[in-house]
Amino acid sequence: MGAHIIEGKKISEQIRGELLQEVVNLKAKNVVPGLAVVLVGEDPASKVYVGSKEKTCIELGIYSEVHRLPAETSEQELLALIDRLNNQSTINGILVQLPLPKHINEKAVIDAISVEKDVDGFHPQSVGNLTIGDDSLLPCTPAGVIELIKRSGVDIAGKHAVVIGRSNIVGKPVAMLLLRENATVTICHSRTAGMEEIAKQADILVVAIGRTKAIDSRYVKPGAVVIDVGINRLPDGKLAGDVDYESCLETAGYLTPVPGGVGPMTITMLMSNTITAAKRANGIEV
Ligand code: NAD
């Protein structure tokens, strides 16, 4: 039989086409969505991510500002910039690229972002809103996981979803979003006993642990939807997921590749959040 490969790159391009049209519609109402990206220091990976975010904004007609600050920027200076961006009407979304240099308290910085502009969805109030079911901007990678599943034609409601990993940026919010979609959700983590047996019960298995190819076909129920969030760099420079792709190809019903699965969705959902924030700021229905 063989798994249906969920092509994140294609799905992401399809969504970007829809977003492009939304931006055109908003511009007709004199609304231009705006994103501010803040980069502190010279981390090479962060520089690449910020570059792709800027490029995608340009492609979609979203106004973008990139604030590149030196590594020795003080926490106070950064907080002052956030305060300015919170009050700047041309900016609907603020993203501070993580990790920040060690002398800056990441939590203090995230907490300072106005919740209406929290396009990363990491602010405690955004997390709380998601949990109680109020409107909020959703964390990008978890939102991307849900879009991939839905756009592959899979019904989430009533399914048993198992999430492996419980980080604040992936595992926990993915679990919360699956619950919101009416799945029955189990969360596994590094201290879970009997994980293989639990994972094997999953109709939908989402893996976000940061361990190269740790999950193979022994963890997968025949026909299950397997979403691999992991991005791991191999010694030869290539990327690999947390799921052993080859091993699961025959067993899984649906499977995401790495690269080209969840990865491309993250920036796309960031763009989507920026547009949503712009709509809300202008009283336009989302
Ligand atoms: P993390 O290190 O913060 O959390 C890992 C989680 O996995 C922890 O909750 C831990 O309990 C659990 N875990 C670790 N080893 C385990 C094991 N052997 N069995 C069961 N659970 C185990 O990682 P993260 O930030 O959640 O990221 C996870 C992966 O997703 C990484 O590979 C990361 O690069 C990737 N990621 C990708 C994207 C994207 O696609 N854009 C975004 C964020 C993270």
Side-chain angles (χ1 to χ4, degrees):
M1 220 174 59
H4 168 85
I5 306 307
I6 299 181
E7 293 182 62
K9 203 158 176 276
K10 264 197 193 157
I11 294 176
S12 173
E13 275 161 16
Q14 184 194 346
I15 298 172
R16 286 184 194 193
E18 295 163 14
L19 296 178
L20 189 65
Q21 188 56 49
E22 285 204 47
V23 174
V24 169
N25 296 346
L26 285 176
K27 284 185 177 168
K29 294 177 178 155
N30 286 323
V31 174
V32 182
L35 175 69
V37 179
V38 181
L39 173 64
V40 185
E42 301 285 329
D43 180 70
S46 293
K47 276 181 163 174
V48 173
Y49 294 144
V50 167
S52 337
K53 286 166 189 171
E54 191 178 20
K55 186 169 151 267
T56 315
C57 280
I58 293 167
E59 280 167 16
L60 297 186
I62 293 173
Y63 169 70
S64 75
E65 278 181 7
V66 180
H67 296 263
R68 292 184 171 84
L69 308 178
E72 54 283 1
T73 301
S74 71
E75 187 175 313
Q76 227 151 11
E77 284 168 319
L78 181 55
L79 290 173
L81 170 63
I82 304 281
D83 187 48
R84 201 147 45 77
L85 295 170
N86 279 340
N87 291 300
Q88 187 176 324
S89 62
T90 53
I91 292 300
N92 304 109
I94 302 169
L95 182 141
V96 178
Q97 187 66 45
L98 302 177
L100 287 169
K102 293 221 162 19
H103 66 277
I104 298 178
N105 179 350
E106 254 175 34
K107 184 170 161 45
V109 172
I110 292 172
D111 288 1
I113 296 172
S114 141
V115 69
E116 292 82 14
K117 301 192 179 188
D118 176 35
V119 283
D120 242 347
F122 294 160
H123 191 287
Q125 206 178 322
S126 301
V127 178
N129 285 341
L130 166 61
T131 305
I132 61 177
D134 276 359
D135 281 346
S136 70
L137 295 166
L138 305 178
C140 300
T141 302
V145 167
I146 301 295
E147 278 295 317
L148 281 183
I149 299 172
K150 284 187 172 173
R151 289 184 183 243
S152 301
V154 173
D155 249 341
I156 300 175
K159 300 277 166 61
H160 185 191
V162 174
V163 179
I164 309 185
R166 58 169 163 185
S167 73
N168 287 333
I169 64 165
V170 190
K172 279 186 211 161
V174 163
M176 205 48 79
L177 285 172
L178 287 163
L179 184 62
R180 204 173 74 161
E181 297 293 333
N182 298 312
T184 301
V185 182
T186 304
I187 305 174
C188 297
H189 47 80
S190 51
R191 308 284 293 272
T192 296
M195 195 168 79
E196 197 179 308
E197 285 317 307
I198 298 168
K200 246 200 167 122
Q201 295 168 25
D203 304 307
I204 298 170
L205 182 64
V206 180
V207 186
I209 57 179
R211 305 254 182 277
T212 307
K213 300 186 184 185
I215 301 300
D216 60 24
S217 62
R218 289 174 300 168
Y219 293 79
V220 176
K221 176 163 99 173
V225 179
V226 180
I227 307 289
D228 185 359
V229 184
I231 300 179
N232 307 293
R233 180 89 46 198
L234 299 175
D236 65 3
K238 289 193 180 139
L239 295 179
D242 292 345
V243 173
D244 186 340
Y245 181 83
E246 276 76 26
S247 154
C248 296
L249 261 177
E250 281 307 306
T251 317
Y254 294 79
L255 182 59
T256 59
V258 176
V262 175
M265 295 295 286
T266 300
I267 291 185
T268 301
M269 300 321 287
L270 173 67
M271 299 297 130
S272 171
N273 273 348
T274 304
I275 293 169
T276 300
K279 285 183 182 167
R280 290 199 181 127
N282 289 279
I284 298 168
E285 207 176 320
V286 178

